[in-house]
mmCIF file of all heavy atoms in Angstrom:
data_model
loop_
_atom_site.group_PDB
_atom_site.id
_atom_site.type_symbol
_atom_site.label_atom_id
_atom_site.label_comp_id
_atom_site.label_asym_id
_atom_site.label_seq_id
_atom_site.Cartn_x
_atom_site.Cartn_y
_atom_site.Cartn_z
ATOM 1 N N ILE A 301 -167.820 -145.321 -94.284
ATOM 2 C CA ILE A 301 -167.697 -146.189 -95.465
ATOM 3 C C ILE A 301 -168.755 -145.813 -96.504
ATOM 4 O O ILE A 301 -168.465 -145.739 -97.696
ATOM 5 C CB ILE A 301 -167.820 -147.681 -95.073
ATOM 6 C CG1 ILE A 301 -166.637 -148.110 -94.227
ATOM 7 C CG2 ILE A 301 -167.952 -148.564 -96.302
ATOM 8 C CD1 ILE A 301 -165.322 -148.149 -94.971
ATOM 9 N N ALA A 302 -169.990 -145.547 -96.052
ATOM 10 C CA ALA A 302 -171.046 -145.152 -96.995
ATOM 11 C C ALA A 302 -170.676 -143.850 -97.701
ATOM 12 O O ALA A 302 -170.880 -143.708 -98.915
ATOM 13 C CB ALA A 302 -172.379 -145.007 -96.265
ATOM 14 N N ALA A 303 -170.109 -142.901 -96.962
ATOM 15 C CA ALA A 303 -169.687 -141.628 -97.564
ATOM 16 C C ALA A 303 -168.565 -141.858 -98.570
ATOM 17 O O ALA A 303 -168.536 -141.226 -99.637
ATOM 18 C CB ALA A 303 -169.247 -140.662 -96.464
ATOM 19 N N GLU A 304 -167.651 -142.755 -98.261
ATOM 20 C CA GLU A 304 -166.554 -143.085 -99.179
ATOM 21 C C GLU A 304 -167.102 -143.690 -100.473
ATOM 22 O O GLU A 304 -166.672 -143.329 -101.570
ATOM 23 C CB GLU A 304 -165.578 -144.054 -98.503
ATOM 24 C CG GLU A 304 -164.463 -144.549 -99.386
ATOM 25 C CD GLU A 304 -163.377 -143.511 -99.664
ATOM 26 O OE1 GLU A 304 -163.332 -142.482 -98.968
ATOM 27 O OE2 GLU A 304 -162.585 -143.747 -100.590
ATOM 28 N N ILE A 305 -168.064 -144.590 -100.348
ATOM 29 C CA ILE A 305 -168.669 -145.205 -101.531
ATOM 30 C C ILE A 305 -169.361 -144.139 -102.377
ATOM 31 O O ILE A 305 -169.192 -144.096 -103.606
ATOM 32 C CB ILE A 305 -169.657 -146.326 -101.123
ATOM 33 C CG1 ILE A 305 -168.876 -147.519 -100.551
ATOM 34 C CG2 ILE A 305 -170.520 -146.763 -102.307
ATOM 35 C CD1 ILE A 305 -169.740 -148.568 -99.909
ATOM 36 N N ASN A 306 -170.110 -143.246 -101.737
ATOM 37 C CA ASN A 306 -170.799 -142.182 -102.475
ATOM 38 C C ASN A 306 -169.801 -141.255 -103.165
ATOM 39 O O ASN A 306 -170.017 -140.844 -104.309
ATOM 40 C CB ASN A 306 -171.717 -141.382 -101.548
ATOM 41 C CG ASN A 306 -172.973 -142.157 -101.210
ATOM 42 O OD1 ASN A 306 -173.388 -143.042 -101.957
ATOM 43 N ND2 ASN A 306 -173.570 -141.837 -100.074
ATOM 44 N N ALA A 307 -168.713 -140.918 -102.472
ATOM 45 C CA ALA A 307 -167.703 -140.039 -103.074
ATOM 46 C C ALA A 307 -167.073 -140.711 -104.292
ATOM 47 O O ALA A 307 -166.854 -140.057 -105.319
ATOM 48 C CB ALA A 307 -166.628 -139.699 -102.038
ATOM 49 N N ARG A 308 -166.782 -141.988 -104.187
ATOM 50 C CA ARG A 308 -166.174 -142.711 -105.310
ATOM 51 C C ARG A 308 -167.175 -142.881 -106.457
ATOM 52 O O ARG A 308 -166.796 -142.857 -107.622
ATOM 53 C CB ARG A 308 -165.665 -144.093 -104.862
ATOM 54 C CG ARG A 308 -164.581 -144.047 -103.828
ATOM 55 C CD ARG A 308 -163.380 -143.306 -104.336
ATOM 56 N NE ARG A 308 -162.349 -143.268 -103.307
ATOM 57 C CZ ARG A 308 -161.230 -142.604 -103.432
ATOM 58 N NH1 ARG A 308 -160.974 -141.912 -104.519
ATOM 59 N NH2 ARG A 308 -160.348 -142.607 -102.466
ATOM 60 N N ARG A 309 -168.455 -143.044 -106.130
ATOM 61 C CA ARG A 309 -169.486 -143.192 -107.152
ATOM 62 C C ARG A 309 -169.564 -141.918 -108.009
ATOM 63 O O ARG A 309 -169.790 -141.973 -109.211
ATOM 64 C CB ARG A 309 -170.838 -143.472 -106.506
ATOM 65 C CG ARG A 309 -171.939 -143.755 -107.507
ATOM 66 C CD ARG A 309 -173.289 -144.034 -106.844
ATOM 67 N NE ARG A 309 -173.254 -145.309 -106.146
ATOM 68 C CZ ARG A 309 -173.577 -145.465 -104.853
ATOM 69 N NH1 ARG A 309 -173.943 -144.449 -104.124
ATOM 70 N NH2 ARG A 309 -173.527 -146.657 -104.303
ATOM 71 N N GLU A 310 -169.343 -140.776 -107.367
ATOM 72 C CA GLU A 310 -169.406 -139.483 -108.062
ATOM 73 C C GLU A 310 -168.282 -139.326 -109.083
ATOM 74 O O GLU A 310 -168.350 -138.442 -109.941
ATOM 75 C CB GLU A 310 -169.327 -138.331 -107.053
ATOM 76 C CG GLU A 310 -170.449 -138.312 -106.034
ATOM 77 C CD GLU A 310 -171.812 -138.075 -106.659
ATOM 78 O OE1 GLU A 310 -171.904 -137.255 -107.586
ATOM 79 O OE2 GLU A 310 -172.782 -138.720 -106.213
ATOM 80 N N GLU A 311 -167.254 -140.163 -108.983
ATOM 81 C CA GLU A 311 -166.111 -140.048 -109.889
ATOM 82 C C GLU A 311 -166.416 -140.521 -111.308
ATOM 83 O O GLU A 311 -165.600 -140.345 -112.200
ATOM 84 C CB GLU A 311 -164.905 -140.810 -109.338
ATOM 85 C CG GLU A 311 -164.355 -140.193 -108.066
ATOM 86 C CD GLU A 311 -163.264 -141.023 -107.421
ATOM 87 O OE1 GLU A 311 -162.928 -142.118 -107.944
ATOM 88 O OE2 GLU A 311 -162.748 -140.584 -106.389
ATOM 89 N N GLY A 312 -167.538 -141.159 -111.512
ATOM 90 C CA GLY A 312 -167.909 -141.537 -112.874
ATOM 91 C C GLY A 312 -168.077 -143.022 -113.068
ATOM 92 O O GLY A 312 -168.588 -143.719 -112.196
ATOM 93 N N ASP A 313 -167.660 -143.512 -114.237
ATOM 94 C CA ASP A 313 -167.854 -144.881 -114.695
ATOM 95 C C ASP A 313 -167.472 -145.898 -113.616
ATOM 96 O O ASP A 313 -166.321 -145.983 -113.211
ATOM 97 C CB ASP A 313 -167.026 -145.110 -115.966
ATOM 98 C CG ASP A 313 -167.260 -146.488 -116.576
ATOM 99 O OD1 ASP A 313 -168.162 -147.204 -116.088
ATOM 100 O OD2 ASP A 313 -166.548 -146.836 -117.524
#
Side-chain angles (χ1 to χ4, degrees):
I301 293 292
E304 176 74 14
I305 290 170
N306 285 336
R308 297 300 180 185
R309 185 180 291 126
E310 299 296 321
E311 293 173 359
D313 185 7

